Amino acid sequence: VAKGLSGGTVIIKPSIESSIVPHENIIIGNVSLYGATSGEVYINGMGGERFCVRNSGAEAVVEGIGDHGCEYMTGGLTIVLGDVGNNFGAGMSGGIAYIWDKNNNFSERYNPEMIGIESLETTDYSMLKAKLEKHHSYSGSPLAGSILDNWEKEKAVFIKIMPFELKRALEAKLKQSKTA
């Protein structure tokens, strides 16, 4: 799904006749958004393994993913509303990910060599809420609706994943702008 995406908006959701609970079921396969450069993807359900590998600019909202998510990601935005598999972020040098870590188990599943877990700032919360509103509007996601209905409580469950190299570059840019 969306391999090499270079613009546009992709919305994936179960059929109205389906009885599955989307955020508890994988509805897209492995290697989705591989090498994507731009565009948006909203998935009312879970993704398989290697989600957003080599993503360099696309933005995605998904409700859980398998192993090796955001491997070698160099740009873009990934929001995961649920669990991630093992080895998340291996080789991730750019882009930002946000995880709704409701089970508080992300720290056991990520690859800490190139990324760190950070607290969110006010601008992060504003962006996340807007993205979730879009996700809910486009895909009809009951999970996104529930998080939005309880935003003040649920926003505290999000964590921010930042590559060390990107953080250093942003800090250097900020320092340079203060001395200019």
Side-chain angles (χ1 to χ4, degrees):
V1 171
K3 180 179 180 183
L5 180 71
S6 60
T9 302
V10 177
I11 302 161
I12 299 173
K13 57 187 178 180
S15 163
I16 291 177
E17 293 86 29
S18 176
S19 62
I20 69 165
V21 177
H23 68 272
E24 294 176 0
N25 289 275
I26 296 172
I27 67 167
I28 60 169
N30 296 335
V31 208
S32 296
L33 282 101
Y34 180 93
T37 61
S38 63
E40 298 177 289
V41 178
Y42 300 91
I43 303 156
N44 181 358
M46 296 175 65
E49 294 183 0
R50 292 193 158 81
F51 186 83
C52 277
V53 169
R54 297 196 186 279
N55 176 24
S56 65
E59 298 183 354
V61 181
V62 65
E63 300 180 355
I65 58 173
D67 293 344
H68 314 293
C70 297
E71 250 183 346
Y72 305 109
M73 189 166 138
T74 61
L77 171 71
T78 302
I79 300 170
V80 182
L81 304 178
D83 286 336
V84 304
N86 292 318
N87 201 35
F88 183 93
M92 183 178 173
S93 61
I96 299 175
Y98 295 88
I99 312 295
W100 184 61
D101 192 20
K102 66 178 176 141
N103 293 321
N104 197 28
N105 61 6
F106 180 81
S107 62
E108 303 162 8
R109 297 187 173 173
Y110 81 108
N111 187 317
E113 290 178 17
M114 295 180 72
I115 59 174
I117 301 170
E118 298 198 353
S119 300
L120 281 71
E121 299 175 14
T122 304
T123 55
D124 294 311
Y125 291 121
S126 300
M127 180 278 301
L128 275 173
K129 187 173 185 185
K131 281 287 184 191
L132 291 184
E133 288 169 344
K134 211 171 187 182
H135 178 54
H136 185 256
S137 173
Y138 283 160
S139 74
S141 167
L143 178 59
S146 175
I147 293 170
L148 289 166
D149 286 347
N150 299 293
W151 182 246
E152 289 307 312
K153 176 184 168 206
E154 297 296 343
K155 72 181 186 180
V157 180
F158 281 95
I159 57 174
K160 180 179 184 177
I161 310 309
M162 175 72 80
F164 299 135
E165 286 302 314
L166 177 59
K167 184 175 183 173
R168 275 192 275 277
L170 292 173
E171 287 172 348
K173 185 177 179 180
L174 181 62
K175 185 178 178 181
Q176 184 180 27
S177 70
K178 287 183 179 181
T179 59

